[in-house]
Amino acid sequence: MIEQESLMLKRSISKNPNKKLNLLVVGGGYVGLTMAVCFADIGCNVVCVDKQKAKINSLSKGKVTIFEKDLDRLLVKNLKSKRLQFKLLANSGDIENSDIIMIAVGTPFDDKLDGYNQRDIYSVAKEIARFINKYTVIVIKSTVEVGTCDKVEQIIKETNPKADIEVVSIPEFLREGSGVYDFFNPERIIVGTGSQRAKEIIKELHKPLQKKKLVYTTRRSSEIIKCASNAFLATKVHFINEMADFCEEVGGNVYEVAYGMGLDKRIGREFLKPGPGYGGGCFPKDAKALASLGKRVGANFNLIECVICANGNRIKGFGQKILRCVKNIKKPKVAFLGLAFKSGTDDCRCSPAVDIVLGLINKGLKVCVYDPAAMKNAKTILKSRVFYAKDEYEAAKGADIIVIGTEWKQFKSLDWQKMGRFVRNKFIFDMRNIVDKQETLKHGFECYKIGC
Ligand code: UGA
């Protein structure tokens, strides 16, 4: 599928090469790195800077620092072509040469500020301002509070009154784990600017990707679209999660319900998969930031506030359900399979699985964990409070309950006969509904699934 897509894209690039734009990407995280590699792949000259030395060393050698499908191959390819470079600091020449400077630094939620911490965005704005000596488009890619583009423009103009710039909001909608695919197959590219000159450059930048139209909005609308989209999707996920609970109580099957509902185009079939609650580096943060900004400006988001609270309770509730399953067992041991917030990524930020593991160890349970990609990131949170297994079967040794925390494909095809030989009690708690219940029953397991 990806190969077919990239073949089509190659044909489109050869017909529509962009004018070798020089692009400086500031920030080499999930967003910045994917953008840097993919824009190099469609013909831009890209310099990507990040303040972490180890990251820059690794990327310069062609070793990816995040788990992202197809990124490793494209990184090596574009380093070889010399269209892509990684640096610890942008030198004045890199800034002067850039047609576009893309800011993609992290904006973590800050409890004290009750919103995004945008310190890094503003310091980047200040740093680059001094060296801008020709018309440059500054693109804000990080997810930000409404009005940030205005503030960045003000900082640059104050630092360098002669700077000929335009600050444009182009939020990213890449899903972790499918970031490369999403880059080459965008459903929409929202461009927040009122400037015709900036529009021309942004159009040029995206020329090979223009299967779908660019959508122009004001800067503030563009900033809102990003948070509103994530908050809406989080609401949709929470809706189906509550529906799953209802189905369990009244004897329905949430998959049949979601399928039937989703056939209505106005509802759509995506994002109606029940689970332990939404997580990750984006939904929880963006929903919270939107709700708190709404409160500050006197436009309350009652619905989003309810969703945030109910999603948190849901995650806690799943921990309690697991505890109830093992309440009659002396010194129960849990085999926890999957720690990433979803499959296809090594990201454990706000992962429901990790939160549930923390809840279980706080109650004194012994937990042995395994994840095919996220062990390293999980260790930074769980430290030495759990046992780390080398695979699913080792995790199952002596376990009284097997919990499926992330929907990794390999957990779908576990050998339940083999698992049965390792466990002490045959109970499965499938929070992701990926296990074949009939198959587990054949081998004497009892299996709890969500909403059916
Ligand atoms: C999300 C958005 O989907 C992207 O469009 C956006 O660019 C990105 O945030 C961002 O702001 O950077 P991502 O965080 O990678 O992408 O994760 P999703 O695939 O959207 O999943 C979010 C959460 O919802 C996960 O915990 C996932 O398990 C859960 N989910 C999703 C469900 O429980 N059910 C579903 O049907 C879909």
Side-chain angles (χ1 to χ4, degrees):
M1 177 68 178
I2 289 246
E3 264 162 32
Q4 211 180 347
E5 292 281 352
S6 75
L7 199 72
M8 278 160 63
L9 197 72
K10 260 184 209 148
R11 280 188 205 129
S12 130
I13 292 172
S14 56
K15 269 193 247 154
N16 299 304
N18 61 23
K19 270 193 229 138
K20 285 250 173 198
L21 289 166
N22 293 329
L23 178 62
L24 174 65
V25 178
V26 187
Y30 283 101
V31 177
L33 178 60
T34 310
M35 290 286 158
V37 171
C38 293
F39 274 117
D41 203 59
I42 60 169
C44 297
N45 292 316
V46 183
V47 175
C48 177
V49 293
D50 193 286
K51 57 185 178 188
Q52 291 179 42
K53 197 170 174 189
K55 191 184 269 185
I56 292 301
N57 286 343
S58 166
L59 292 169
S60 302
K61 286 183 200 141
K63 285 195 195 126
V64 282
T65 42
I66 51 170
F67 186 89
E68 192 63 58
K69 195 167 181 274
D70 290 321
L71 198 63
D72 44 358
R73 184 176 53 80
L74 291 185
L75 171 70
V76 172
K77 178 183 157 201
N78 288 287
L79 280 172
K80 268 192 196 149
S81 74
K82 305 250 186 290
R83 277 198 302 268
L84 180 61
Q85 293 177 64
F86 292 95
K87 294 185 180 178
L88 197 54
L89 288 168
N91 59 39
S92 53
D94 295 326
I95 298 168
E96 285 163 12
N97 281 338
S98 300
D99 300 298
I100 299 165
I101 299 177
M102 211 169 249
I103 303 182
V105 294
T107 50
F109 193 87
D110 186 322
D111 288 323
K112 275 194 214 124
L113 300 170
D114 201 18
Y116 299 113
N117 182 337
Q118 308 201 152
R119 207 180 36 211
D120 285 353
I121 296 212
Y122 300 136
S123 64
V124 169
K126 220 167 178 175
E127 278 164 36
I128 59 173
R130 294 184 289 147
F131 301 108
I132 292 173
N133 65 359
K134 69 169 172 63
Y135 181 69
T136 311
V137 176
I138 315 293
V139 172
I140 305 296
K141 269 281 164 200
S142 311
T143 303
V144 289
E145 194 163 289
V146 187
T148 300
C149 287
D150 298 355
K151 219 162 162 184
V152 167
E153 183 175 295
Q154 189 192 339
I155 291 172
I156 296 177
K157 289 269 163 76
E158 276 170 11
T159 316
N160 177 1
K162 285 194 197 138
D164 187 12
I165 52 137
E166 211 71 63
V167 180
V168 179
S169 161
I170 310 184
E172 62 83 23
F173 298 102
L174 307 180
R175 293 162 303 168
E176 281 179 28
S178 329
V180 172
Y181 177 86
D182 289 347
F183 177 89
F184 289 112
N185 300 276
E187 281 182 337
R188 83 279 212 203
I189 299 164
I190 306 289
V191 183
T193 182
S195 150
Q196 194 50 43
R197 195 171 171 203
K199 279 183 193 170
E200 290 309 318
I201 296 201
I202 295 304
K203 214 157 125 187
E204 188 62 40
L205 176 71
H206 293 94
K207 205 167 175 180
L209 301 173
Q210 275 182 49
K211 269 191 275 178
K212 300 266 158 45
K213 267 194 211 132
L214 299 177
V215 178
Y216 298 107
T217 67
T218 64
R219 288 202 298 216
R220 286 187 180 231
S221 297
S222 168
E223 290 168 334
I224 298 169
I225 287 169
K226 171 62 199 267
C227 291
S229 300
N230 277 358
F232 183 83
L233 289 172
T235 306
K236 199 171 176 190
V237 169
H238 186 68
F239 179 91
I240 205 65
N241 282 341
E242 287 195 340
M243 200 50 72
D245 293 346
F246 180 68
C247 285
E248 272 178 37
E249 296 304 324
V250 299
N253 180 321
V254 71
Y255 287 91
E256 291 174 356
V257 174
Y259 180 75
M261 283 170 62
L263 289 174
D264 182 334
K265 278 199 188 117
R266 294 169 304 174
I267 297 173
R269 284 171 58 186
E270 301 280 321
F271 274 70
L272 287 178
K273 220 163 55 203
Y278 64 78
C282 307
F283 282 12
K285 173 179 92 152
D286 294 347
K288 239 160 87 178
L290 191 61
S292 65
L293 180 60
K295 207 177 255 164
R296 262 183 278 149
V297 300
N300 281 344
F301 285 113
N302 295 323
L303 174 63
I304 298 171
E305 279 176 17
C306 284
V307 168
I308 296 167
C309 177
N311 190 64
N313 289 340
R314 180 174 186 81
I315 296 171
K316 277 194 211 114
F318 266 71
Q320 281 151 10
K321 277 188 187 179
I322 296 169
L323 283 170
R324 277 201 293 277
C325 294
V326 292
K327 72 173 190 294
N328 295 325
I329 298 169
K330 218 173 151 198
K331 293 196 176 161
K333 189 189 155 195
V334 182
F336 212 102
L337 307 183
L339 298 166
F341 82 94
K342 64 172 185 178
S343 62
T345 178
D346 59 354
D347 196 347
C348 288
R349 287 175 295 169
C350 293
S351 166
V354 171
D355 283 350
I356 292 169
V357 170
L358 283 171
L360 296 176
I361 49 184
N362 285 341
K363 290 281 177 195
L365 267 70
K366 262 192 183 170
V367 183
C368 187
V369 300
Y370 170 71
D371 187 288
M375 295 290 254
K376 198 170 144 214
N377 286 339
K379 269 185 194 164
T380 63
I381 309 169
L382 299 171
K383 311 234 158 58
S384 58
R385 301 181 70 196
V386 295
F387 300 92
Y388 296 93
K390 71 171 190 318
D391 61 25
E392 301 90 332
Y393 302 99
E394 190 179 71
K397 275 185 191 158
D400 297 294
I401 184 166
I402 295 168
V403 181
I404 307 289
T406 311
E407 69 280 26
W408 287 104
K409 211 168 164 190
Q410 69 191 65
F411 298 157
K412 282 187 192 169
S413 50
L414 285 171
D415 178 343
W416 289 104
Q417 191 172 20
K418 189 172 165 188
M419 289 292 265
R421 289 202 292 272
F422 292 115
V423 296
R424 187 162 65 173
N425 276 299
K426 291 185 166 180
F427 193 86
I428 303 161
F429 192 92
D430 183 5
M431 299 197 304
R432 298 293 189 166
N433 284 356
I434 56 164
V435 166
D436 179 348
K437 192 168 178 173
Q438 293 313 315
E439 180 63 21
T440 64
L441 289 178
K442 266 200 250 164
H443 300 290
F445 281 88
E446 199 181 324
C447 181
Y448 164 79
K449 293 178 89 74
I450 303 175
C452 45

